[in-house]
Amino acid sequence: MSNKQRKRFIAGATCPQCRSIDSIMLYFENNVEKLQCVKCDYKDVQSSTDVSEQVASSADVIGVFKP
């Protein structure tokens, strides 16, 4: 059986490499958030320091909306 990944496009997002609009998709791989551009194959991974900074800055927030 293949493990199907759910990939979502981010509306209005601009690729930092090719500057294309609406070509960035977001997906999770091994519980790590990843971005990929479908036009130029740009890839970015959310590092653990980004996650810990986000958690520390939202300590007083009850809930965080993650699209």
Side-chain angles (χ1 to χ4, degrees), residues 3-56:
N3 196 3
K4 193 173 185 182
Q5 289 183 348
R6 182 176 169 196
K7 298 178 181 179
R8 297 176 286 169
F9 281 90
I10 303 172
T14 304
C15 176
Q17 186 170 323
C18 70
R19 302 288 181 214
S20 178
I21 298 175
D22 292 335
S23 65
I24 298 286
M25 67 178 176
L26 170 73
Y27 63 99
F28 286 91
E29 186 174 89
N30 298 325
N31 291 327
V32 177
E33 189 176 74
K34 296 185 177 189
L35 296 173
Q36 183 176 356
C37 177
V38 295
K39 295 204 177 184
C40 71
D41 207 33
Y42 166 80
K43 295 180 183 177
D44 193 15
V45 178
Q46 183 181 30
S47 67
S48 59
T49 55
D50 293 341
V51 173
S52 61
E53 288 174 5
Q54 180 66 28
V55 170

